[in-house]
Amino acid sequence: MNNRKPEPLNASPVRRRCTICGNPSFSLSGVHPQCAAWKAGRLARDAQKAIAEAIPKPARPQWAQHKWAP
Ligand SMILES: [Zn+2]
């Protein structure tokens, strides 16, 4: 019994690989939407962390910085 499948008429196009996860991607940009969202979220989180670290924290709590406080 012959179980061979026929050869495809059109060769499958070469799939671009996602630059983030490395798996083949079918999107036009070549990057999975979920990978792009993950990277954007990570960049935003890192930016927020950098901003939070750049802002100097007061030595005393804000409620204790009043001039009448001891
Ligand atoms: Zn991906």
Side-chain angles (χ1 to χ4, degrees), residues 17-25 30-36:
R17 292 198 170 266
C18 178
T19 57
I20 299 172
C21 70
N23 292 327
S25 175
V31 178
H32 295 122
Q34 64 270 25
C35 292

Side-chain angles (χ1 to χ4, degrees), residues 14-70:
V14 176
R15 301 286 181 209
R16 284 191 274 179
R17 292 198 170 266
C18 178
T19 57
I20 299 172
C21 70
N23 292 327
S25 175
F26 293 91
S27 64
L28 290 176
S29 64
V31 178
H32 295 122
Q34 64 270 25
C35 292
W38 175 81
K39 187 172 184 180
R42 186 164 188 136
L43 289 175
R45 190 190 67 185
D46 292 347
Q48 285 181 346
K49 190 175 180 181
I51 289 172
E53 289 176 357
I55 296 174
K57 293 183 178 181
R60 302 174 70 189
Q62 193 170 14
W63 58 267
Q65 289 183 350
H66 198 271
K67 61 182 177 181
W68 297 304

